[in-house]
Amino acid sequence: MGAPKQKWTSEEEEALRRGVLKHGAGKWRTIQKDPEFSPVLSSRSNIDLKDKWRNLSFSASGLGSRDKQRVPRPKAPSSSPSPSPQLLLLPAPNSVADAAPPEDSEKSPHDDKTPSPKLYSAMILEALGELKEPNGSEVTTICNFIEIDKSYKLTDSYAKRALAPMKDSSLKKKDPAKSSKAAKGLALFAAASPALDAAEAAAMKVADAEAKSHLANEHMMEVERIGKMAEETESLLALAEELYQRCSRGEVLTILQVAKREI
DNA sequence: ATAGGGTTACCT
DNA sequence: AGGTAACCCTAT
């Protein structure tokens, strides 16, 4: 008697993504136990989460369906003592080239490759609000949120600018574990960017349709709302830009600081 | 508990 | 038959 092969639902997939976003890839047990996701993922084991994430990552890796070209494989030189970190890839847009339903008339007409700064500001603020991290959000987390959840691709220049100061060991933190974790995340982020150039560029601002239609709608409304505020009040825009500059330098800002204008 | 390799079931 | 996704096993 074969096991009926329980296929993953959109809800479960969404929960997994948010779980990875919140706890990071690898903390499968933590994600599975999280009260926010456990109701949805109750029938899945931690191993199931790992396997599913592997499948998602593989699909998004480059084997989009066309172009059998494998990833060039950065391959760290043997002179490097540190083990090369595995490529942690984002399970980008699912089935973009796959059976696109023609009924979708909501093709975003704006093909602007470079969203205005105010849109970035809005996204950063939205990320902070959505993540609801009491201790503040790290730059990596914010970047991941924007990339995964909003399906936006950040150019590697951004990552480089953020990474450069960190690499320079100009980072003096009280929490070495946390900073190293952040640095590692950024390193992975920067390494993955150039490799995925073509694929990511194509999927630059593709919303991953199903599963999040209502959620995305909510987010869009939120973005628009905040965006309008930023547009009308120059001060907020300036604030967001300051926030971005700080983040670029690798600083960790707390949402409290932002709220109190103490940055 | 997690990562990785291997196996089985399903779809085209 | 070939590819993909869910499942299983094992070493660390």
Side-chain angles (χ1 to χ4, degrees):
Chain A
M1 6 276 245
K5 284 273 185 197
Q6 212 174 344
K7 287 209 64 179
W8 278 65
T9 66
S10 306
E11 287 77 19
E12 287 173 322
E13 217 176 287
E14 170 70 11
L16 174 59
R17 288 188 180 199
R18 291 185 59 84
V20 170
L21 209 66
K22 184 173 180 179
H23 298 286
K27 306 284 185 273
W28 310 118
R29 187 74 194 180
T30 308
I31 296 173
Q32 209 267 336
K33 285 284 213 167
D34 192 311
E36 187 180 344
F37 311 117
S38 66
V40 184
L41 301 174
S42 58
S43 59
R44 303 293 182 179
S45 73
N46 51 334
I47 300 181
D48 291 331
L49 301 189
K50 185 256 300 178
D51 285 328
K52 180 58 179 177
W53 185 256
R54 177 168 57 173
N55 286 338
L56 286 173
S57 299
F58 188 74
S59 306
S61 236
L63 276 57
S65 54
R66 6 158 80 92
D67 225 29
K68 294 150 203 171
Q69 184 189 20
R70 294 262 170 174
V71 198
R73 235 212 239 197
K75 199 165 196 191
S78 54
S79 59
S80 177
S82 54
S84 66
Q86 53 183 315
L87 258 211
L88 178 66
L89 295 179
L90 323 165
N94 23 341
S95 52
V96 171
D98 188 330
E103 77 232 48
D104 191 35
S105 55
E106 252 67 32
K107 278 295 201 313
S108 38
H110 5 291
D111 259 13
D112 51 328
K113 290 184 157 209
T114 47
S116 55
K118 89 181 168 205
L119 190 46
Y120 278 129
S121 307
M123 286 194 289
I124 293 176
L125 287 179
E126 188 204 355
L128 285 173
E130 190 71 23
L131 290 170
K132 293 187 183 104
E133 307 234 60
N135 296 329
S137 303
E138 292 176 20
V139 183
T140 319
T141 310
I142 295 176
C143 287
N144 281 340
F145 181 89
I146 293 176
E147 281 223 345
I148 295 181
D149 212 82
K150 307 303 295 181
S151 295
Y152 269 93
K153 177 75 177 84
L154 302 179
T155 58
D156 51 342
S157 61
Y158 283 80
K160 274 181 189 162
R161 282 181 58 187
L163 180 59
M166 280 193 160
K167 248 173 145 185
D168 227 297
S169 72
S170 61
L171 199 63
K172 320 155 193 180
K173 289 251 167 88
K174 306 163 200 170
D175 194 343
K178 201 153 196 191
S179 51
S180 78
K181 183 183 171 189
K184 182 181 164 195
L186 272 177
L188 286 173
F189 181 76
S193 283
L196 294 178
D197 213 14
E200 291 289 343
M204 192 166 183
K205 66 180 300 245
V206 178
D208 52 334
E210 57 178 342
K212 301 199 303 195
S213 52
H214 64 290
L215 210 64
N217 207 343
E218 229 177 331
H219 286 169
M220 277 309 293
M221 287 177 62
E222 189 73 12
V223 168
E224 256 180 49
R225 194 175 63 90
I226 299 179
K228 253 183 190 171
M229 283 170 60
E231 193 174 10
E232 287 172 10
T233 65
E234 298 281 274
S235 61
L236 184 54
L237 177 56
L239 171 67
E241 240 171 84
E242 170 79 10
L243 175 64
Y244 169 73
Q245 292 295 334
R246 293 265 189 142
C247 286
S248 295
R249 277 183 243 124
E251 292 186 27
V252 175
L253 302 174
T254 68
I255 198 168
L256 264 182
Q257 287 175 312
V258 176
K260 287 202 234 160
R261 301 288 205 271
E262 280 185 1
I263 59 175

